[in-house]
């Protein structure tokens, strides 16, 4: 473990480099664009559609026993909660292009080997809002994500799992291929 790059959970003491703020969300440009499009849809056409559903349900009479009205109001609450969540994510988002070297940062693909397993596992490192068809996302705020951040190929880090400490070897790091 390189103590100058060691983060919390790496087994090398306290984080010596500035640790990312917990409120920041690291997003690839593609994820940022997708979330921006979702926000535009939810705060525009979707909001209008739900408003029309509520208006039609009101026309059915008594609101106390109106299942359509209840369903539309529930959907409105869900939509508004997601709008607030998206606004918060995008307000504090840091757009990352992914690393170009062999260091684990948000926006990279990392291949790891747990303990002394022969099998490896590959993750996209980033925010939980990332989506990828091929890779599971490893959040930069998860215990494993925190332990791996700023470490390089060949480094072995420790992180505290729910029941025990795991040793993890970084097998490879590469940038996320974008199309």
């Amino acid at each position: 473990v390189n103590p100058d790059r060691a983060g919390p959970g790496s087994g090398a003491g306290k984080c010596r480099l500035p640790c990312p703020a917990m409120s920041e969300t690291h997003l690839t440009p593609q994820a940022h664009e997708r979330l921006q499009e979702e926000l535009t849809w939810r705060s525009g056409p979707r909001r209008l559609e739900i408003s029309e559903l509520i208006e039609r349900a009101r026309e059915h009479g008594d609101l106390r026993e109106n299942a359509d009205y209840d369903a539309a109001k529930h959907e409105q609450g869900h939509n508004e909660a997601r709008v607030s969540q998206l606004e918060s994510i995008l307000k504090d988002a840091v757009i990352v292009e992914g690393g170009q070297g062999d260091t684990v940062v948000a926006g990279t693909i990392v291949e790891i080997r747990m303990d002394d397993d022969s099998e490896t596992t590959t993750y996209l490192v980033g925010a939980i809002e990332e989506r990828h068809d091929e890779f599971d996302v490893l959040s930069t705020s998860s215990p494993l994500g925190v332990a791996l951040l700023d470490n390089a190929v060949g480094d072995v880090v420790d992180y505290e799992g729910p029941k025990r400490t795991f040793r993890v070897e970084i097998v490879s790091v590469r940038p996320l291929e974008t199309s």
Side-chain angles (χ1 to χ4, degrees):
V1 174
N2 181 338
D4 293 330
R5 289 195 312 234
S10 67
K14 297 192 182 278
C15 185
R16 296 183 185 181
L17 296 176
C19 295
M22 292 304 287
S23 64
E24 289 180 345
T25 301
H26 293 88
L27 298 172
T28 60
Q30 298 81 10
H32 186 271
E33 182 179 342
R34 180 179 49 76
L35 293 177
Q36 190 64 54
E37 288 172 1
E38 182 183 352
L39 176 60
T40 300
W41 174 73
R42 284 188 178 276
S43 59
R46 183 65 180 146
R47 192 177 271 164
L48 182 60
E49 179 184 322
I50 293 169
S51 177
E52 290 170 356
L53 288 173
I54 292 170
E55 193 58 39
R56 271 187 253 130
R58 279 186 178 151
E59 293 171 358
H60 294 156
D62 189 0
L63 299 181
R64 290 175 293 175
E65 296 180 18
N66 187 330
D68 290 341
Y69 179 78
D70 288 342
K73 290 298 279 185
H74 178 76
E75 182 59 30
Q76 181 183 43
H78 174 75
N79 188 66
E80 293 307 314
R82 182 63 177 159
V83 166
S84 294
Q85 181 184 35
L86 289 168
E87 288 172 341
S88 177
I89 289 168
L90 291 169
K91 178 178 67 104
D92 296 323
V94 175
I95 300 174
V96 295
E97 295 292 335
Q100 299 303 315
D102 62 353
T103 302
V104 179
V105 294
T108 57
I109 304 296
V110 62
E111 182 182 6
I112 61 171
R113 181 175 293 117
M114 300 292 286
D115 293 315
D116 291 321
D117 286 348
S118 59
E119 300 284 320
T120 61
T121 306
T122 305
Y123 294 102
L124 166 61
V125 179
I128 200 68
E129 291 291 336
E130 296 284 351
R131 292 195 183 120
H132 200 276
D133 295 334
E134 188 177 345
F135 304 109
D136 288 333
V137 176
L138 177 62
S139 171
T140 55
S141 61
S142 70
L144 179 56
V146 169
L148 292 174
L149 280 178
D150 298 321
N151 285 285
V153 172
D155 285 351
V156 176
V157 298
D158 294 333
Y159 89 96
E160 289 295 322
K163 295 185 179 183
R164 67 183 183 96
T165 300
F166 293 90
R167 291 188 75 74
V168 181
E169 176 189 0
I170 301 172
V171 177
S172 71
V173 178
R174 67 184 187 273
L176 176 63
E177 305 278 326
T178 58
S179 50

